[in-house]
Amino acid sequence: MSKFGVLTTFCSALIQHLQNNRRSCFYINLDPAADDFAHEPDLDIKDLISLEDVMEEMGLGPNGGLIYCFEYYPQILCPRYCIVNHPTLRFLLQNLDFLTEAIDPLSEEYLIIIDMPGQIELYTHIPVLPTLIKHLTRTGALNINLCAAYLLESTFVIDRAKYFAGTLSAMSAMIMLEIPHVNVLSKMDLVKDMVGRRELKRFIDPDSSLLDDDPADGVVRGAVETDDPNAPQSLMKGASFKRLNRAVAQLIDDFSMVSFLQLDVQDEDSVGAILSYVDDAIQFHEAQEPHEPREEMDMDE
């Protein structure tokens, strides 16, 4: 029996939409820094470790502490799940029973929503998540049909160099994780009064031609004019910076992997549209048992 899940950072609106449509979901929080939840997680990584504990015990900053939470567990903070005899450190990937025991009893009617941290390092060049995904999707184990919903803030479209950098990160995550991906421009309500609808459509499928008429070309917002060629504002409007952006955009063009959906969490239809793409990616509806129409059930009774 297959199970179905999505890795994402937009969970509250998704869970609310599922509840409104009477769909079952199982909510897992894997963000050790998360404190405030609109919906209480069914399984929380902070039952094992929290970012605050790691920063205090190990003397690490927020980013280093987050990576540590995913890679290691100190014995004094999670004695229940420490299964390797090592004096101080425990690998997260050797404590996967924490996830397996909670997920294994779920039926295929559940959509497993896994709330992830927002730090990009986890998705681009640190091998923890690919290993975790292999465990979750492995046939014969949990066998979860898994999809990643990657969110890029729509405000990135205002700065096209930033937009292509974000798109490159999305493409890097797709290659790194090797699972179906739904890429989303989020917080569309923030740009609806700043960018026209027709202009927004140009950012759905990234194209290097967006750099041909960049309104910020040669202008760095908030920059102070200077004659210093080594000043940041000079570097960011110089020829080498333009060539770098052009090379990044061309690389994205060559791979032709990334396209975006638009999301406004205040709009129920917008959330539903994203969910429909997720359902298609994980083949959720194909595995559901057919239900008898209510009228026939009433007649049988």
Side-chain angles (χ1 to χ4, degrees), residues 8 26 33 48 99 112 119 136 143 149 152 157 197 218 223 253 275-276:
T8 186
F26 189 84
L48 292 177
L99 292 173
I112 302 165
Q119 278 77 357
L136 294 176
N143 195 26
L152 183 71
V157 305
R197 184 172 299 181
D253 257 357
L275 179 60
S276 70

XYZ file of all heavy atoms in Angstrom, residues 8 26 33 48 99 112 119 136 143 149 152 157 197 218 223 253 275-276:
134
model
N 7.051 20.774 2.242
C 6.747 22.156 1.908
C 6.963 23.056 3.115
O 7.270 22.584 4.217
C 5.297 22.297 1.402
O 5.076 23.628 0.946
C 4.304 21.944 2.490
N -1.940 14.221 7.904
C -1.069 13.975 9.050
C 0.063 14.980 8.960
O 0.813 14.995 7.981
C -0.531 12.544 9.017
C 0.195 12.134 10.265
C -0.500 11.665 11.364
C 1.582 12.206 10.334
C 0.169 11.271 12.524
C 2.264 11.824 11.480
C 1.548 11.351 12.587
N 13.131 25.075 14.719
C 13.042 26.450 15.214
C 11.602 26.935 15.329
O 11.348 28.018 15.853
C 13.827 27.388 14.300
N 12.275 15.601 19.858
C 13.639 15.088 19.904
C 14.628 16.183 20.264
O 15.477 16.001 21.129
C 14.035 14.506 18.540
C 13.319 13.240 18.080
C 13.800 12.863 16.696
C 13.554 12.112 19.053
N 10.184 8.733 12.844
C 9.237 8.988 11.755
C 8.470 7.729 11.371
O 7.257 7.755 11.196
C 9.979 9.534 10.537
C 10.583 10.930 10.639
C 11.418 11.219 9.399
C 9.517 11.982 10.816
N 0.245 13.204 3.918
C 1.255 13.488 4.940
C 1.931 14.804 4.576
O 2.590 14.914 3.535
C 2.285 12.350 5.019
C 1.587 11.028 5.327
C 3.344 12.657 6.072
C 2.453 9.810 5.076
N 15.772 27.255 5.372
C 17.171 27.459 5.003
C 17.525 26.679 3.735
O 17.405 25.459 3.687
C 18.090 27.028 6.160
C 18.249 28.081 7.233
C 17.050 28.168 8.162
O 16.065 27.470 7.958
N 17.139 29.002 9.173
N 11.980 7.516 3.152
C 10.531 7.698 3.130
C 9.896 7.079 1.887
O 8.754 6.612 1.936
C 10.197 9.190 3.191
C 10.570 9.933 4.478
C 10.273 11.421 4.330
C 9.841 9.367 5.681
N 7.229 3.549 1.678
C 6.675 3.592 0.320
C 5.754 4.797 0.114
O 4.619 4.673 -0.346
C 5.909 2.291 0.029
C 5.639 2.114 -1.451
O 6.369 2.624 -2.287
N 4.563 1.407 -1.786
N 7.009 20.839 -2.588
C 6.445 22.124 -3.000
C 7.438 23.210 -2.586
O 7.576 23.508 -1.401
C 5.082 22.352 -2.356
N 8.988 30.259 -3.622
C 9.824 31.432 -3.870
C 8.932 32.656 -3.742
O 7.875 32.725 -4.372
C 10.439 31.373 -5.267
C 11.402 32.501 -5.658
C 12.707 32.370 -4.884
C 11.676 32.469 -7.164
N 10.361 38.896 -8.105
C 10.211 39.284 -9.510
C 10.532 40.761 -9.714
O 10.771 41.188 -10.854
C 8.791 38.976 -10.031
C 8.441 37.510 -9.802
C 7.736 39.882 -9.406
N -0.752 42.024 -14.183
C -1.016 40.601 -14.389
C -0.292 40.067 -15.618
O 0.253 38.962 -15.614
C -2.524 40.375 -14.515
C -2.925 38.921 -14.631
C -4.426 38.761 -14.549
N -4.949 39.229 -13.269
C -6.238 39.186 -12.932
N -7.128 38.729 -13.807
N -6.642 39.628 -11.760
N 21.350 48.735 -14.463
C 22.203 49.896 -14.198
C 21.805 50.674 -12.967
O 22.440 51.659 -12.630
N 20.992 52.701 -3.605
C 22.431 52.897 -3.715
C 22.784 54.379 -3.741
O 22.037 55.206 -4.244
C 22.957 52.226 -4.982
N 17.657 28.260 -18.649
C 17.055 28.029 -19.966
C 17.469 26.669 -20.533
O 16.641 25.916 -21.055
C 17.492 29.119 -20.944
C 16.395 30.158 -21.167
O 15.300 29.987 -20.609
O 16.648 31.126 -21.880
N -2.856 22.441 -4.515
C -3.088 21.083 -4.029
C -3.401 20.124 -5.178
O -2.972 18.965 -5.164
C -4.229 21.076 -3.010
C -4.607 19.716 -2.429
C -3.416 19.079 -1.710
C -5.793 19.848 -1.479
N -4.127 20.593 -6.177
C -4.463 19.718 -7.305
C -3.200 19.304 -8.059
O -3.094 18.159 -8.526
C -5.451 20.419 -8.243
O -4.841 21.489 -8.938
